[in-house]
Amino acid sequence: MSVIQILIYVAALVFLVTNITRFVRMASTPIHLRWELYPVAHDVKRYKYGGSFLEEADWYTKKLHKSKLGEMRVMLPEILLMKGVWEYNRSLWLWSFLFHIGLYLLSGLIIVLLLGGIIIGPNIFYGYDSLSIIGQIIYNLSYAMLIAGCAIGTIGTLGLIIKRMSDHEMSVSSTFGSFFNLYFIAAIFISGLVFFFSGNPVEKLITFYYSLITFQAMPNLGAAFAVHAVISGLFLLYLPFTHMTHFFMKYFTYHKVRWEDSPNVRGSKLEKRIQEQLSYPVSWSAPHIGADGKKNWADIATEEGENGKE
Amino acid sequence: MAKNRVKIEDISKPSEKLTHLDIDEMMPLPPPYDKIEEQPGWKKLSDDAIENLETSLDDTIAIGIPKPKNEEEEKELVEKFLRGLEKLLQKENNWTFLQPLLLSLEHCAKCQTCTKACPIYEASGKQDVYRPTFRSEVWRRIVHKYLKPGGKFFGRLSHGDIDLNWTTVARLMELSYRCTLCRRCAQTCPIGIDNGLITHELRKVFSQEMGIAPKEIHEKGSVLQLEVGSSTGMNAEVVKDNIDFIDEDMQDLTGIEVHTPWDKKGADLLLIHNAGEILAWPENPGAFAIILEKAGIDWTLSSDIAAYDGINYGLWYDDFQLGKVAIKHAEAAKNLGVNRIVVGECGHAHKALTVIADRVLTGDFNIPRVSAMTLLEEIVFSGKIKFDPSKNDFPVTLHDPCNMVRLMGIVEPQRRILRYLCPQFREMTPHGVNNYCCGGGSGFAIMSGHNFQDWRLAVSGRMKLKQIVEAFDDHPEPETNKYLCAPCSNCKGQLRDLFRYYGVREKSGIIYGGLVELIVNAMVDIKQPFINFDEMQ
Ligand code: SF4
Ligand code: SF4
């Protein structure tokens, strides 16, 4: 087993475990106070102009319907086309769009290559000469995704780097980390391009994936492959510890905050959770709160006397 | 465009001012307000203020933080601040906003999409310190450097450096009162980061841990409301007297007999006004009373402590003050046995009681809360009252209070009324959920200490003034009476000051007022105009 294989196993494991842990941790934070921001996508009828169920005087007598389809109709263009950036930050959009498309193509390529490893891995690994139709599709798709992902991603990333350096607002708020992340991703795309032009890239990738799936030693796939694989592996290890986890944390910012408008109904599970949380002890120090580390939220909020102070 | 550029780490470096404001550099205003020499500008801070208070952020002060006496005291305050930041990230102490806050702590891509949305940043001529991400970045850097393991090395590397000292804390404290919490920035963030929320949470650290908040919103605001019943200082007797006077005035003005009911057990609805209306714009509660009486609604006001004043300033700076006031409101409704609470024309009261307190009020405190906008819409279209829209045949535009519109989604009811009753209704640009704040949000409208009023009129209200004037650009002449409908007491406070500051009534012929006034003005039964352009501001 080579160092590259070990790196990729470890990176994949860390990537999955850390991201899942982060997701679960975020999902298990207490239910927060409502803090929605309109328009709310699951209110299909009123999304266009940003209205809510509170526009009805008898809203509390009706059951709230949340349309998953409505949410998807907003999320998909946001994820695929960077709609928010298009609407509100047009001069950044092209670079951001190309950058993300590059990343999506390379991420998609991982899935195609895993499939490829299973379906056509043996053919390539053992040098059989013909591929089935599905095999050919996977082969050609991988080829296209690799070159397109790396080329588009390179343009996008370089564009973002230049924009970050030249735009006053972006440059003053950039840190070492902001540029480091972009250079890191640029290195993935550029090393991917070099690897692509080093000859037989798909054969090499499928061979590599097959060796990963079957836990076999990999043959020497050349320096260009090794560089690209090591940079990509290191990036997988690094990503879960950065703000770039927004690619899945957006689920929370949109679905659990911006669009979280569930009203609290008497006797509901939500109410029970709130009541539990109202019994959390408080230790804020300002005198007007009168907390002592034992009194809970409900005690303090219902305390009579001079503004909480007996 | 501002000339002096400020980096985030500069906040820690002591200097006389982190930034200076200059009207020349601010966003230009449309005519006839475009001449810089005619713009009022602002008063200089007094020598006394400069000597004794922390004034090193910009050219104004919102809180008036006394300078610590010595280094020891400074250290103590910095330490307290850090403990407060820690509590902000604990579920026991901050379950109320922990999840959205953690999301905003970790995932900002520093793309600055949000900056273009901020009226304060834009109006100030793009002053770096007012950029929505500026204070968020300061907070992030402090958290990553001082509260995370290995932060001194890794935090600095990936999030940028900052020094936590008293200068940083004092400036950050003031800076948390240079944002109206309008959350327009959050609406445009592609990732869903909320710089408005971060400001809100910083204010909480200062209030809940350090006991520091502008006196207008704490001592003279929520504390007074909980002690006396209203931040206006009116106790139950005084408020009842005032409402009696208003009833009489309404009868004189309209010929309609009005008796505002108090503490009526079993009424269908409890109406809660912002008590500021009773003193500053009595025609608003008066018009409400006329409409409800004419529509035959079974309603009441409550004289219980805090229940005749819908304000809930805790919304802007302190979860505990918010909770206490919300419970008082709900308790009053429970005591009367009403079916629902209707919140009058006050945006933050709407949001505090209907949305934010929704997850504070449980069991029999959870009484349905509805917006006056929806009730008024039902009444106007019910046929119970006869209207003649030609009585409102003057140009009318609508200001969307952020709390009611962007943050609650109550967009159309008030518009349907205006489209029906006001033949010359026109929208501002942008409007609805994309509106700009009046510049008085998050407590600013009632904050006028030192020269802060000048700041909120020259900077935070600048964008709104531009929008209002442009909405009437087909009738710029002052001779044509125009009406700005602002169904929010807080916004009206800001608009009153804004109009006086720039002479809007005289130069453009625009007055401002609520929605109910337009409704009553269009009633067939009212013989004289209810809206008097000569008397109203
Ligand atoms: S808050 Fe959002 S819009 Fe603003 S810089 Fe961060 S990611 Fe970009
Ligand atoms: S909440 Fe409003 S005022 Fe505050 S930073 Fe965001 S856009 Fe600006």
Side-chain angles (χ1 to χ4, degrees), chain B residues 445-457:
Chain B
I446 50 160
M447 287 162 57
S448 297
H450 302 279
N451 60 359
F452 190 71
Q453 173 161 317
D454 293 351
W455 183 88
R456 72 172 157 90
L457 302 176

Side-chain angles (χ1 to χ4, degrees), chain B residues 100-153:
Chain B
L101 188 65
L102 287 174
L103 289 165
S104 288
L105 173 65
E106 302 286 357
H107 303 103
C108 172
K110 303 184 172 60
C111 67
Q112 306 308 324
T113 304
C114 53
T115 60
K116 293 160 184 62
C118 175
I120 294 184
Y121 176 65
E122 288 291 322
S124 71
K126 302 184 195 283
Q127 288 281 350
D128 283 323
V129 299
Y130 300 153
R131 203 173 53 237
T133 52
F134 192 96
R135 61 183 85 68
S136 307
E137 272 305 302
V138 172
W139 166 68
R140 262 186 216 114
R141 288 185 185 192
I142 297 172
V143 170
H144 285 292
K145 182 171 170 185
Y146 292 92
L147 294 179
K148 300 267 166 165
K152 295 251 157 65
F153 178 71

Side-chain angles (χ1 to χ4, degrees), chain A residues 168-231:
Chain A
H168 168 74
E169 280 148 4
M170 286 182 87
S171 74
V172 284
S173 56
S174 293
T175 58
F176 169 80
S178 325
F179 283 108
F180 178 78
N181 294 345
L182 285 172
Y183 291 136
F184 206 157
I185 295 171
I188 297 175
F189 288 133
I190 294 170
S191 66
L193 278 179
V194 174
F195 163 62
F196 180 85
F197 290 111
S198 70
N200 300 327
V202 176
E203 282 82 354
K204 287 176 186 165
L205 284 173
I206 300 268
T207 301
F208 180 64
Y209 273 73
Y210 183 71
S211 76
L212 286 179
I213 296 164
T214 55
F215 299 97
Q216 296 187 49
M218 60 179 272
N220 182 356
L221 298 173
F225 171 79
V227 171
H228 179 61
V230 168
I231 297 175

Side-chain angles (χ1 to χ4, degrees), chain A residues 28-31 273-283 293-300, chain B residues 90-96 98 320:
Chain A
S28 51
T29 48
I31 189 98
R273 275 186 80 178
I274 297 164
Q275 279 163 339
E276 268 168 36
Q277 292 171 191
L278 284 167
S279 68
Y280 287 166
V282 177
S283 63
K294 291 193 203 85
K295 279 190 221 164
N296 64 31
W297 284 74
D299 298 334
I300 293 172
Chain B
Q90 294 166 349
K91 75 170 191 182
E92 288 78 10
N93 277 312
N94 200 27
W95 63 269
T96 45
L98 184 64
F320 297 90

Side-chain angles (χ1 to χ4, degrees), chain A residues 45-46 49 52-62, chain B residues 268-270 292 297 339-343 350 354 367-382 384 408-414 416-417:
Chain A
K45 209 168 72 185
R46 291 174 277 234
Y49 67 88
S52 76
F53 61 88
L54 295 169
E55 288 192 335
E56 292 173 37
D58 56 352
W59 63 265
Y60 52 91
T61 61
K62 297 175 181 169
Chain B
D268 177 35
L269 65 92
L270 165 66
L292 297 179
I297 304 285
N339 298 321
R340 52 190 168 149
I341 300 173
V342 172
V343 187
H350 261 75
T354 315
I367 294 156
R369 283 95 53 205
V370 301
S371 164
M373 301 297 111
T374 61
L375 177 71
L376 292 169
E377 184 191 13
E378 270 192 359
I379 294 173
V380 167
F381 292 99
S382 67
K384 288 180 184 158
M408 283 180 79
I410 301 175
V411 186
E412 274 296 310
Q414 59 273 40
R416 284 192 280 263
I417 295 171

Side-chain angles (χ1 to χ4, degrees), chain A residues 22 26-39 46 49-60 78 84-85 88-89 91-92 164 167-170 172-178 238 242-246 249-250 252-254 256-258 260-266 270-271 274-275 277-278 280-289 296-298 300-309, chain B residues 5 8 84 87-88 91-100 102-103 106-113 115-116 121 126 128 131 141 157-160 183 186-192 194 197 200 205 207-209 211 218 223 226-227 318-324 327-328 340 351 354-356 358-364 366-370 374-375 377-378 405-413 433-434:
Chain A
R22 287 188 74 155
M26 189 52 75
S28 51
T29 48
I31 189 98
H32 53 85
L33 298 187
R34 270 168 65 187
W35 195 244
E36 66 257 31
L37 198 51
Y38 290 86
R46 291 174 277 234
Y49 67 88
S52 76
F53 61 88
L54 295 169
E55 288 192 335
E56 292 173 37
D58 56 352
W59 63 265
Y60 52 91
E78 177 53 42
V85 182
Y88 302 113
N89 197 355
S91 67
L92 185 69
R164 190 166 279 288
D167 180 287
H168 168 74
E169 280 148 4
M170 286 182 87
V172 284
S173 56
S174 293
T175 58
F176 169 80
S178 325
Y238 171 67
T242 69
H243 79 267
M244 289 179 276
T245 45
H246 68 237
M249 284 297 193
K250 247 175 134 158
F252 292 102
T253 57
Y254 277 73
K256 295 291 166 196
V257 182
R258 194 183 271 199
E260 207 331 60
D261 60 350
S262 316
N264 172 22
V265 176
R266 277 195 216 179
L270 177 62
E271 183 182 65
I274 297 164
Q275 279 163 339
Q277 292 171 191
L278 284 167
Y280 287 166
V282 177
S283 63
W284 289 100
S285 305
H288 70 273
I289 295 178
N296 64 31
W297 284 74
I300 293 172
T302 51
E303 217 161 26
E304 288 296 336
E306 194 195 312
N307 197 29
K309 289 173 280 170
Chain B
R5 313 274 49 170
I8 287 151
K87 289 177 190 171
L88 219 45
K91 75 170 191 182
E92 288 78 10
N93 277 312
N94 200 27
W95 63 269
T96 45
F97 289 96
L98 184 64
Q99 188 181 59
L102 287 174
L103 289 165
E106 302 286 357
H107 303 103
C108 172
K110 303 184 172 60
C111 67
Q112 306 308 324
T113 304
T115 60
K116 293 160 184 62
Y121 176 65
K126 302 184 195 283
D128 283 323
R131 203 173 53 237
R141 288 185 185 192
L157 211 57
S158 58
H159 297 277
R183 294 176 69 210
Q187 199 183 31
T188 64
C189 174
I191 293 171
D194 193 336
L197 171 77
H200 177 260
V205 171
S207 175
Q208 295 175 183
E209 187 67 13
H218 185 65
V223 171
L226 286 163
E227 279 172 14
D318 192 304
D319 285 349
F320 297 90
Q321 296 297 89
L322 170 106
K324 287 176 189 177
I327 285 172
K328 289 279 175 209
R340 52 190 168 149
K351 194 177 80 170
T354 315
V355 173
I356 306 291
D358 193 41
R359 293 182 184 170
V360 175
L361 304 172
T362 59
D364 49 8
N366 188 356
I367 294 156
R369 283 95 53 205
V370 301
T374 61
L375 177 71
E377 184 191 13
E378 270 192 359
V405 181
R406 180 167 32 258
L407 309 180
M408 283 180 79
I410 301 175
V411 186
E412 274 296 310
V433 290
N434 299 317

